[in-house]
Amino acid sequence: MCHVLIIEDDALIALDLQGMLEAAGALSFSFADSEAEAIAEARARRPDVIASDVMLREGSGPGAVQAIHAEYGPLPVFYVTGTPEACQPCEPPVHIVPKPATQEAIRAAFTQVRGGC
């Protein structure tokens, strides 16, 4: 089973990402629109992959990813963002898909990071 945590503060974009990731093979999803909510969702169900925006309503995607990695160790992650230059800290190797994201770009990023998921 491939469970994806989508960290995105725009609900329509989050649902669009869900559809793209389902088409790419993801099977279940959790959603968060803030750094604190992302950490809580990861604690509730450990994700196999994280798809995250950079700038959030509260906090940041990289901050959430860093906190989740501190608890669970490295998990596959890719960023979908309109502000790739703001992806700090984003430790390599990092996959950044610029918004507006295409189905092909999301599929490619997901395929690159998903591992055995």
Side-chain angles (χ1 to χ4, degrees):
M1 167 150 335
C2 188
H3 180 71
V4 178
L5 171 58
I6 296 175
I7 307 170
E8 170 61 62
D9 59 354
D10 183 315
L12 293 176
I13 292 173
L15 291 173
D16 196 30
L17 283 172
Q18 178 185 12
M20 291 183 204
L21 291 166
E22 281 176 330
L27 300 175
S28 64
F29 300 89
S30 295
F31 297 91
D33 65 3
S34 69
E35 187 173 328
E37 187 177 7
I39 295 164
E41 287 295 329
R43 287 177 179 153
R45 181 163 182 195
R46 183 185 181 276
D48 297 307
V49 174
I50 300 170
S52 180
D53 193 357
V54 172
M55 309 287 281
L56 301 175
R57 177 176 54 80
E58 294 177 14
S60 74
V65 168
Q66 194 172 40
I68 293 166
H69 283 177
E71 286 192 36
Y72 294 103
L75 297 171
V77 62
F78 66 97
Y79 293 94
V80 182
T81 182
T83 56
E85 68 284 352
C87 200
Q88 298 293 328
C90 292
E91 299 177 18
V94 74
H95 301 278
I96 299 176
V97 178
K99 288 179 181 174
T102 65
Q103 173 73 41
E104 296 78 23
I106 295 297
R107 180 183 298 273
F110 180 65
T111 300
Q112 287 176 341
V113 302
R114 73 187 275 179
C117 160

